[in-house]
């Protein structure tokens, strides 16, 4: 088991372009989370999946953001028509669906919108 | 509601102790502590649950005061490897979703 992996690690894009990030969770983990982290701040919750079902999405999340987890394995996060304010680190985490278990984070994808 | 951490930053010498506090305006179900080094993923330190149960795997202790809606992380005899940013996250009972505080940056100097 190699932990949670995210791809790409870095992405630079022009404003208005679409970007897609991928997260591969630890294989036996049912739950998968996406967080966004800006400099000097804690991770901010975006959305979460239990298997393939997206069960919660942050009210702060623009409709330009969409996430999927087909077949309950890897997940993708897409941002359409990127804006400079989308520049951040996007973190993925996973854990089993047992209550009160630690979340394992990936190293994140750093997005820079120019 | 985002929990509030204090202090924002701490500088220590090796061997000194530190306390990091986390306060919430909402009733707490659980508090999760993570440490993040620059450019790396957050790493789990400890979970504290309502009722007093703790789960952790490092030589770090913590407390959880349900009435005051606060948690404190105690770092004793600090080592250089303790440097990083510490986040508390408040957890819900059924989703595992965490709401993180803004972080406390700890720097341990030789």
């Amino acid at each position: 088991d190699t932990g949670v992996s995210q791809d790409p690690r870095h992405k630079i894009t022009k404003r208005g372009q679409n970007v897609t990030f991928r997260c591969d969770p630890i294989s036996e983990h049912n739950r998968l989370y996406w967080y966004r982290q800006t400099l000097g701040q804690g991770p901010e919750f975006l959305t979460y999946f239990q298997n393939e079902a997206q069960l919660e999405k942050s009210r702060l999340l623009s409709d330009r953001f969409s996430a999927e987890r087909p077949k309950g394995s890897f997940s993708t996060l897409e941002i359409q028509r990127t804006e400079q304010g989308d520049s951040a680190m996007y973190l993925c985490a996973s854990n089993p669906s047992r209550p009160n278990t630690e979340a394992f984070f990936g190293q994140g994808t750093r997005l820079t919108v120019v | 509601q985002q929990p509030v951490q204090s202090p924002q930053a701490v500088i220590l010498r090796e061997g000194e102790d530190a306390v990091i506090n986390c306060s919430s305006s909402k009733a707490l179900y659980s508090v999760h502590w993570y440490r993040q080094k620059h450019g790396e993923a957050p790493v789990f330190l400890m979970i504290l649950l309502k009722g007093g149960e703790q789960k952790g795997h490092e030589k770090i202790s913590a407390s959880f005061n349900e009435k005051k809606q606060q948690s404190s992380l105690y770092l004793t005899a600090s080592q250089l490897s303790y440097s990083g940013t510490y986040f508390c996250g408040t957890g819900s009972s059924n989703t595992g979703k965490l709401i993180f505080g803004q972080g406390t940056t700890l720097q341990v100097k030789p």
Side-chain angles (χ1 to χ4, degrees):
Chain A
D1 185 358
T2 55
V4 178
S5 62
Q6 293 187 242
D7 182 68
R9 293 289 308 280
H10 303 273
K11 178 73 177 178
I12 300 173
T13 191
K14 290 185 179 177
R15 193 171 47 187
Q17 298 293 305
N18 299 344
V19 293
T20 300
F21 310 140
R22 177 179 170 125
C23 170
D24 287 89
I26 293 173
S27 57
E28 63 268 25
H29 286 179
N30 307 102
R31 291 181 172 178
L32 184 148
Y33 308 84
W34 284 99
Y35 290 87
R36 176 172 59 194
Q37 187 176 28
T38 53
L39 198 62
Q41 298 296 315
E44 174 194 14
F45 171 77
L46 295 179
T47 189
Y48 122 84
F49 292 84
Q50 171 104 10
N51 300 312
E52 67 275 9
Q54 186 174 18
L55 297 185
E56 188 171 344
K57 192 173 170 180
S58 169
R59 287 189 301 259
L60 303 174
L61 203 57
S62 158
D63 58 8
R64 298 183 294 105
F65 287 69
S66 62
E68 293 184 339
R69 193 184 181 195
K71 302 178 184 177
S73 55
F74 71 92
S75 176
T76 58
L77 177 69
E78 182 183 17
I79 310 174
Q80 295 183 325
R81 305 180 303 282
T82 52
E83 302 172 356
Q84 285 191 320
D86 297 332
S87 295
M89 176 74 83
Y90 290 83
L91 292 164
C92 176
S94 70
N95 62 9
S97 53
R98 293 190 308 274
N100 305 315
T101 55
E102 65 182 279
F104 293 81
F105 281 84
Q107 291 198 291
T109 294
R110 180 167 295 284
L111 174 67
T112 303
V113 182
V114 297
Chain B
Q1 204 89 6
Q2 184 182 33
V4 176
Q5 291 184 231
S6 63
Q8 284 194 312
V10 184
I11 299 176
L12 296 175
R13 294 284 179 193
E14 265 187 297
E16 292 181 338
D17 303 339
V19 180
I20 301 172
N21 301 303
C22 175
S23 297
S24 175
S25 58
K26 290 177 67 172
L28 294 176
Y29 175 79
S30 65
V31 178
H32 302 230
W33 287 95
Y34 285 79
R35 177 172 60 213
Q36 186 178 32
K37 294 183 182 279
H38 184 69
E40 299 182 8
V43 172
F44 169 78
L45 296 176
M46 183 166 287
I47 294 175
L48 299 107
L49 304 174
K50 212 172 164 178
E53 186 180 351
Q54 296 187 10
K55 297 182 186 181
H57 54 73
E58 284 211 21
K59 294 181 183 177
I60 290 173
S61 62
S63 64
F64 181 16
N65 187 320
E66 295 171 39
K67 284 186 180 177
K68 291 187 177 179
Q69 295 167 189
Q70 288 177 348
S71 177
S72 295
L73 189 71
Y74 304 97
L75 304 166
T76 55
S78 58
Q79 304 170 18
L80 294 176
S81 62
Y82 286 9
S83 294
T85 302
Y86 289 76
F87 295 100
C88 69
T90 54
S92 70
S93 60
N94 54 353
T95 68
K97 160 185 135 181
L98 296 174
I99 306 297
F100 285 96
Q102 81 280 18
T104 296
T105 300
L106 177 72
Q107 186 180 2
V108 181
K109 295 187 171 181

